[in-house]
Amino acid sequence: MLQSAARLAGAGHSLHFGCQSGKLIPAARESELSRLLEESEVGIPAYPPSFVGGEHTVFIPDQSETVLKHTLPGFYGRIMDETKLLDPRTFQNKTRLMMRAALPSEYLRRWAVMDDVFGMTTHYLGKVTGSDREPQMAVEQPFIPEDENLPATLEDAEAFFEAHGFERVDDVHIINPEVHGVTWYRQRDGVLVTDAHARNFRRDLDGVIIPVDLVIALVPPGASALLPPADRLWEPMED
């Protein structure tokens, strides 16, 4: 997954985070989309999708052990970043966290962190064929059976993050109200997670809480004017 992310990002790529990164995003997106067109191709399933969400078209065939996700055309999920906005009370720029559209490489890096930190194995399949719209990306995850009468709760998610060493980010720092109360940061390796609603977790049949879809950014040491500086930048654990 990380090798694919690096291939899409190209040589000399650095993580895009912080108030200055926004200037680089348009050019980075254009170059990454051109590389995405060269990726391996996967077709659209013959069976209909199970549902269409805010980021993916999701295919869950009957009796399947896997879930197939296609990004929406030209959209590769979201990511949390920093920006400066004018505070109307003080007439000074104030640093805030906000959601923005993710680059294809950031989309893949999100799944790599999900696998390494939270144990949700995700495989990148390539670009989707059969559409004349903007490029789509396909990933595959294991299907998590659950008791529909015992869904994961927000309290479960909170306990999950605390057990993994995360602290909740104060809502006062976040522009987007839809992710208030569900944004977490781990200072030791600069992992910033949001969209941690209960709907993005599953309680499996053994009672284990498993995240299936989180929005994840990496915050390099010194890149944030708002969050405590990371002790080090996340790297995948060696087997």
Side-chain angles (χ1 to χ4, degrees):
M1 192 74 75
L2 289 177
Q3 290 178 346
S4 297
R7 182 171 64 248
L8 289 174
H13 171 72
S14 59
L15 294 175
H16 297 295
F17 188 92
C19 295
Q20 301 301 316
S21 67
K23 301 176 182 178
L24 306 174
I25 298 301
R29 175 181 168 84
E30 182 177 353
S31 62
E32 290 199 14
L33 289 181
S34 67
R35 296 187 186 97
L36 180 55
L37 293 175
E38 301 172 356
E39 292 290 278
S40 300
E41 298 181 349
V42 296
I44 299 175
Y47 51 89
S50 300
F51 63 91
V52 178
E55 295 183 336
H56 298 99
T57 299
V58 180
F59 300 85
I60 309 175
D62 293 339
Q63 309 301 320
S64 176
E65 296 181 354
T66 61
V67 175
L68 181 64
K69 295 181 176 180
H70 290 180
T71 61
L72 302 181
F75 182 60
Y76 311 102
R78 300 196 298 170
I79 195 169
M80 183 161 271
D81 203 345
E82 282 187 357
T83 189
K84 284 186 180 293
L85 290 180
L86 182 66
D87 188 330
R89 294 173 299 177
T90 63
F91 296 100
Q92 294 181 344
N93 288 328
K94 184 176 182 180
T95 302
R96 304 282 296 279
L97 292 166
M98 69 166 190
M99 302 291 279
R100 65 165 171 83
L103 300 170
S105 65
E106 293 172 327
Y107 175 78
L108 293 184
R109 193 178 296 111
R110 153 189 179 176
W111 295 120
V113 178
M114 279 277 289
D115 188 353
D116 183 69
V117 176
F118 302 124
M120 169 47 69
T121 301
T122 303
H123 298 290
Y124 171 51
L125 303 179
K127 69 173 183 179
V128 179
T129 60
S131 171
D132 58 359
R133 297 175 292 180
E134 290 188 271
Q136 296 171 259
M137 302 172 75
V139 297
E140 187 178 63
Q141 296 176 316
F143 177 76
I144 309 296
E146 63 175 344
D147 184 341
E148 294 182 358
N149 296 316
L150 289 173
T153 66
L154 192 58
E155 289 74 19
D156 291 325
E158 292 171 352
F160 176 88
F161 281 111
E162 290 171 354
H164 280 80
F166 286 78
E167 295 186 2
R168 197 197 312 269
V169 178
D170 194 318
D171 291 345
V172 72
H173 301 308
I174 302 171
I175 294 173
N176 308 81
E178 68 271 21
V179 292
H180 283 179
V182 291
T183 300
W184 299 78
Y185 177 64
R186 192 164 71 177
Q187 183 177 359
R188 72 173 187 245
D189 53 4
V191 177
L192 177 63
V193 179
T194 192
D195 202 28
H197 295 280
R199 63 176 180 267
N200 289 325
F201 289 78
R202 300 289 183 269
R203 187 196 311 275
D204 73 10
L205 298 180
D206 294 321
V208 178
I209 301 299
I210 302 172
V212 295
D213 199 348
L214 300 172
V215 173
I216 299 175
L218 296 177
V219 185
S224 173
L226 182 63
L227 298 168
D231 298 331
R232 60 177 178 83
L233 184 61
W234 170 86
E235 292 182 354
M237 294 177 61
E238 297 182 0
D239 295 333

